Amino acid sequence: MDHSNSPQAHSLKKNAIGLGLLVFLVISAAAPLTGIAGAIPIAMLLGNGAGIPGTFILMSVILAIWALGFVALARRIRNAGAFYAYSARALGGRFWGAIALIAVLAYNAMMVGLLGLLGGAAAGVFGQFGVNLPWWVWSLIATVLIGILGYKEAELSAKVLMVLVALEVLIGLVVAFAILFKGGAGDLTYNILDPGLIFVGGGTVAAILFTFGSFIGIEATAIYAEEVRDADRTVPKATFVAIFLIGLFYSFTTWTMVVGTGVDVLVPAIAALPDPTFYLFSLAERYAGGTVAMVLGLLLVSSVFASAQAMHNFIARYFYVTGREGLLPGFMGITHATHQSPHVGSIVQTVLAVIVVIFFAAMGLDPVLNLFTWIAQVSVLGVLTMMAITSFAVLAYFRKAPDAEPAWRVFLAPLVSGLILAAMATYTLIGFGPATGTVAPLSYILPGLVPLFGVAGYVIAGRLEKSDPQRFANMGANRA
């Protein structure tokens, strides 16, 4: 039966997500346990070591400033395209095309990067129980499960994520408090805001990449704007609550990780491990016991799964919106007649993920050091770029349509955050190679994908403007 002309074929399910579920969707993308077990030890090793907790505090402040303008615009433009929709209404439709394709690149990169981390983690964790499968088998199993959940209704995916996130936060806090109760091995009073620890030359780029990457998913509050209840109130609340909770969790847990080893010996201790991702497990076994370390391993796998699921949901909605509004083929822009989910986008993303995983496996590349560390950081650069442009979109929108919003919220805050984020994106683009361990030509090709996709989207949107001016004019319009 053809459902393409039914009312549900072109709309997402309304009033499906409340404040609590929306916050969990954002936190699941941030993947708290994935961060402290998988990404943060690498950040400490390649970045600024004991400066990571202070970097998280600094990043939380920057994102809170950025969010002031973001939520002001979110109350006026409700569209599942979020960043791209804001650019379209404030800067023009061609910028919409650029942002849309950068978003497609960024979230796909993070999704497949996480699949590499999941495969590597699962192979190690389940290998302890005698289940010895190659990493790519675990990655493909996860891809299929994620695709099934993405095909279904948003509530099902959100509720699965809520359970997984609650468990991973709990085990992370168990390890953190175990370290504190035993006094750690270092100085509990060390100055985490010491500029000498935070800013350490080239290591600052890696610190920016990994700490900012831990906040990826903040956009989800607006991506689900067409599906949440009372979007004008829910989206702003969820944005600030998520930034606060993510920042608090990461700052606290990374501080305990540092004092659990010692400020001066932190980096050598991580470097001495066969894999940096073993670091949190060594702390868990030392301070909380072998059982907690074993549970930590199992929950790490579920944490990466939850984050990959969240990214999959983002991508499916971006595919749906770009198809609905004419940038990508129209068949992408329909929703399931029963579930009202962006099922076509979900299927396309699943197929792409399978192809990438098989390619990396066939090439014999490492799932963590290559697939995760290289590819996932392309996502961080892409999201940094989108958030910077969104800040400037806030400035442009409220300059053209001033209203009761105070100047500090729609001028000062977006100006400051836009300049900071643009500087961070530029700094990251230049220092991408040393920060991720890639060498030429990959050190140029991988970060170069972000501007390349932006230019491609800008050109495609320009063609749409000529072929269908009315559709082009409606890009990014309110849908809720």
Side-chain angles (χ1 to χ4, degrees):
M1 181 181 295
D2 182 10
H3 296 290
S4 62
N5 293 320
S6 68
Q8 293 86 1
H10 300 288
S11 64
L12 296 165
K13 189 172 183 180
K14 308 299 182 185
N15 301 316
I17 300 172
L19 176 62
L21 279 180
L22 185 56
V23 170
F24 268 95
L25 282 168
V26 176
I27 295 177
S28 65
L33 189 56
T34 300
I36 60 174
I40 297 309
I42 299 174
M44 289 173 170
L45 182 63
L46 299 179
N48 56 2
I52 287 293
T55 309
F56 269 115
I57 294 175
L58 181 63
M59 204 62 65
S60 300
V61 173
I62 292 171
L63 289 174
I65 295 171
W66 169 83
L68 292 170
F70 172 75
V71 300
L73 209 49
R75 282 194 289 264
R76 290 157 179 81
I77 302 172
R78 293 184 293 278
N79 186 299
F83 287 158
Y84 98 81
Y86 302 161
S87 297
R89 305 320 296 175
L91 301 173
R94 295 194 181 194
F95 278 96
W96 168 84
I99 292 295
L101 283 201
I102 290 175
V104 167
L105 168 69
Y107 292 128
N108 269 291
M110 181 58 77
M111 163 62 177
V112 296
L114 287 167
L115 288 174
L117 181 60
L118 185 148
V125 169
F126 292 109
Q128 300 176 23
F129 301 102
V131 183
N132 295 300
L133 296 173
W135 71 266
W136 54 269
V137 173
W138 294 110
S139 296
L140 291 177
I141 291 172
T143 302
V144 172
L145 293 175
I146 288 168
I148 292 172
L149 286 172
Y151 191 92
K152 300 289 187 178
E153 298 175 359
E155 302 101 303
L156 174 61
S157 178
K159 288 172 182 176
V160 170
L161 293 178
M162 177 178 282
V163 173
L164 296 180
V165 170
L167 291 173
E168 66 179 277
V169 169
L170 178 61
I171 195 69
L173 292 177
V174 166
V175 175
F177 280 108
I179 294 172
L180 285 186
F181 289 154
K182 294 187 177 180
D187 185 1
L188 295 177
T189 62
Y190 92 93
N191 182 11
I192 62 174
L193 295 177
D194 181 357
L197 291 176
I198 297 174
F199 303 105
V200 290
T204 306
V205 177
I208 289 172
L209 275 170
F210 284 94
T211 56
F212 180 84
S214 299
F215 285 91
I216 284 183
I218 295 299
E219 182 191 3
T221 57
I223 287 177
Y224 290 98
E226 297 180 34
E227 301 164 81
V228 300
R229 293 188 290 274
D230 192 9
D232 284 350
R233 294 170 58 87
T234 302
V235 169
K237 284 183 179 180
T239 301
F240 286 107
V241 169
I243 290 173
F244 173 76
L245 291 178
I246 293 170
L248 180 63
F249 178 85
Y250 276 118
S251 300
F252 173 67
T253 53
T254 55
W255 170 68
T256 62
M257 290 166 70
V258 173
V259 300
T261 302
V263 174
D264 296 331
V265 299
L266 174 69
V267 173
I270 297 174
L273 296 170
D275 187 323
T277 59
F278 293 171
Y279 176 56
L280 185 63
F281 294 95
S282 66
L283 286 177
E285 189 163 2
R286 175 180 174 184
Y287 287 100
T291 300
V292 171
M294 181 183 67
V295 173
L296 179 69
L298 294 171
L299 290 179
L300 172 60
V301 175
S302 71
S303 171
V304 185
F305 180 90
S307 184
Q309 178 70 58
M311 291 299 157
H312 175 89
N313 292 346
F314 296 174
I315 299 160
R317 280 156 180 79
Y318 263 104
F319 277 148
Y320 159 72
V321 171
T322 49
R324 178 181 70 183
E325 303 198 0
L327 193 68
L328 292 181
F331 72 87
M332 304 278 280
I334 62 173
T335 54
H336 195 277
T338 302
H339 305 306
Q340 289 183 256
S341 62
H343 66 299
V344 176
S346 179
I347 293 171
V348 171
Q349 201 288 315
T350 300
V351 172
L352 288 174
V354 168
I355 291 172
V356 174
V357 168
I358 291 175
F359 172 79
F360 269 76
M363 294 296 291
L365 296 171
D366 186 271
V368 178
L369 296 179
N370 300 143
L371 185 51
F372 175 66
T373 303
W374 291 359
I375 305 303
Q377 301 317 311
V378 174
S379 174
V380 177
L381 178 58
V383 175
L384 262 174
T385 302
M386 290 191 293
M387 291 178 71
I389 293 174
T390 298
S391 289
F392 298 125
V394 174
L395 292 172
Y397 182 90
F398 286 99
R399 181 179 60 83
K400 293 186 293 186
D403 60 12
E405 293 284 356
W408 59 265
R409 179 178 296 161
V410 297
F411 176 75
L412 184 60
L415 177 63
V416 170
S417 63
L419 292 174
I420 292 174
L421 291 169
M424 288 168 56
T426 303
Y427 194 36
T428 300
L429 181 66
I430 295 171
F432 187 91
T436 59
T438 54
V439 296
L442 281 178
S443 58
Y444 305 113
I445 293 173
L446 291 177
L449 290 174
V450 174
L452 178 64
F453 270 65
V455 170
Y458 190 90
V459 171
I460 294 172
R463 291 180 178 176
L464 180 63
E465 182 179 21
K466 294 178 181 178
S467 63
D468 194 342
Q470 184 60 46
R471 197 173 192 181
F472 177 85
N474 289 330
M475 289 194 301
N478 282 340
R479 295 281 183 162

